[in-house]
Amino acid sequence: MELAACASTVSGQTAESEVLKALSQIIDPDFGTDIVSCGFVKDLLVDESLGEVSFRLELTTPACPIKDMFEQKANEVVAALPWVKKVNVTMSAQPAKPMYAGQLPAGLQTISNIIAVSSCKGGVGKSTVAVNLAYTLADMGARVGIFDADVYGPSLPTMVSPENRILEMNAEKRTIIPTEYMGVKLVSFGFAGQGRAIMRGPMVSGVINQLLTTTEWGELDYLVIDMPPGTGDIQLTLCQVVPLTAAVIVTTPQKLAFIDVAKGVRMFSKLKVPCVAVVENMCHFDADGKRYYPFGRGSGSQVVQQFGIPHLFDLPIQPTLSASGDSGMPEVVADPQGEVSRTFQELGVCVVQQCAKIRQQVSTAVSYDRSIKAIKVKVPDSDEEFYLHPATVRRNDRSAQSVDEWTGEQKLQYSDIPDDIEPEEIRPLGNYAVEITWPDGFNQIAPYDQLQMMERLVEVPQLTPA
């Protein structure tokens, strides 16, 4: 009896490994790794006697553009195993969580990706892009919110028409409850019963901060922030208060637009926010069988070339795009099969894929390899991979606890740190740093730039096979 039980256990393990081996043929094109190594396969149950296999594929986002392909291929590769008679695949997405390890305001703690849509110049159609991108992501299956960060001239109340046009307060929690339109959560100063503000800059920064961080956003896969034009105090405050995942830049073909956009790209670059796409609005129109470019050509492609932003999307001059913005129904909702909607679908796919890549790069950028007692570093957007000694990282802390802020004198002595110190935990801190917890309870903020400057391990001990 015991032998039979043991045999069935071994057989069960073999069957399970056969299923996992079959599933490892499926490669995620964004990560370049198979779905088993990515950790997508969950709740695997195998009944070899009945020939039944069931499992769940947990993807990084419910808006994954190739989720149907994953489901179909998973069915096919497992059904191809000779003993399998029935396959049951269910699809799900990872719970919403930020990639930021620090202390976040309560309202932002269950948002996976925050995307800034920015132009740094007024009147180029940035709000149109932000709203239509948000509704495209929602149509792809994601939970989405829009935050209109323009207090002087909020656009959201004109572009969408929710039944409830006034934001409600939760008096007990002192939080804001967003309004909704067609499944997307909305917050704008224009819904605060104020209309448009007349106030000085520092007050505006405070209002935006309060609106954004005290809102009960709930679980969101994407929060789209419609940034106000410019690169001043308000924009910097937003970028520093909020752990932005990525930015989408909106421009028009004129040279003047390019000059302002270049300023915005540099701002995001300094704040370590990756710009993943450029949308060039009002590019062209078709008439009499010909295509006309009334504002010239090349501003968008110039941004792409000069700053290395990988994706460019063109939007035509189209009366319906402007009219739908004024009517309270976004164009992608009003005409889901039109040319404009197709462009936004391509932009939506790009944003989803780029955010997934960024999160993957950030989550694996710095890790500790216990087998060789070394910290491995591979900074996002860099092909270089190197190793650091844990004690070197700890001794190079530049915080006020280790270095006197006034004199620059080193308070932390070399001998204070034992050579055999090992980190307890390493967590991403936005797109620019990691937070390392050490055994003495110290939490060290280590920016990627600083890690790249440290003395590296030249000879990394290799694991010898047993």
Side-chain angles (χ1 to χ4, degrees), residues 260-464:
D260 282 352
V261 162
K263 240 182 359 181
V265 174
R266 289 192 192 100
M267 176 187 78
F268 285 121
S269 174
K270 279 186 178 173
L271 296 165
K272 308 291 184 192
V273 178
C275 294
V276 295
V278 175
V279 178
E280 191 170 26
N281 194 16
M282 298 181 265
C283 277
H284 52 74
F285 66 89
D286 297 334
D288 308 324
K290 288 173 72 178
R291 178 157 284 188
Y292 296 90
Y293 295 85
F295 302 121
R297 302 173 73 170
S299 168
S301 53
Q302 203 178 342
V303 176
V304 168
Q305 287 163 10
Q306 189 163 327
F307 298 103
I309 299 169
H311 303 97
L312 175 65
F313 300 90
D314 293 348
L315 285 172
I317 299 172
Q318 194 163 309
T320 55
L321 184 54
S322 174
S324 62
D326 293 340
S327 71
M329 181 179 283
E331 174 75 354
V332 296
V333 176
D335 183 15
Q337 302 304 317
E339 179 194 355
V340 168
S341 291
R342 284 197 298 276
T343 302
F344 275 108
Q345 280 155 13
E346 290 168 15
L347 174 63
V349 167
C350 166
V351 166
V352 167
Q353 290 176 333
Q354 292 300 312
C355 284
K357 268 188 188 173
I358 290 163
R359 288 180 69 90
Q360 175 73 1
Q361 287 175 340
V362 165
S363 66
T364 57
V366 183
S367 57
Y368 184 58
D369 190 329
R370 292 196 181 280
S371 60
I372 57 173
K373 291 185 165 32
I375 291 174
K376 186 173 85 169
V377 182
K378 188 175 187 305
V379 173
D381 295 328
S382 165
D383 295 329
E384 186 185 31
E385 186 178 285
F386 58 91
Y387 289 85
L388 300 171
H389 194 291
T392 302
V393 175
R394 179 69 178 85
R395 286 166 181 153
N396 276 279
D397 176 55
R398 305 300 298 163
S399 71
Q401 283 177 267
S402 304
V403 179
D404 189 295
E405 290 181 275
W406 294 101
T407 65
E409 183 191 344
Q410 189 77 30
K411 291 196 284 188
L412 177 76
Q413 298 305 310
Y414 188 94
S415 56
D416 293 342
I417 307 299
D419 283 335
D420 60 353
I421 193 168
E422 294 186 62
E424 287 187 345
E425 190 182 2
I426 299 178
R427 299 180 300 278
L429 198 64
N431 293 325
Y432 70 97
V434 286
E435 184 176 8
I436 306 172
T437 302
W438 298 99
D440 57 5
F442 180 69
N443 284 337
Q444 179 180 357
I445 307 297
Y448 297 149
D449 293 353
Q450 191 187 343
L451 293 172
Q452 287 175 304
M453 302 296 289
M454 289 181 194
E455 184 186 347
R456 301 175 183 187
L457 285 171
V458 180
E459 291 182 22
V460 180
Q462 297 299 315
L463 283 176
T464 49

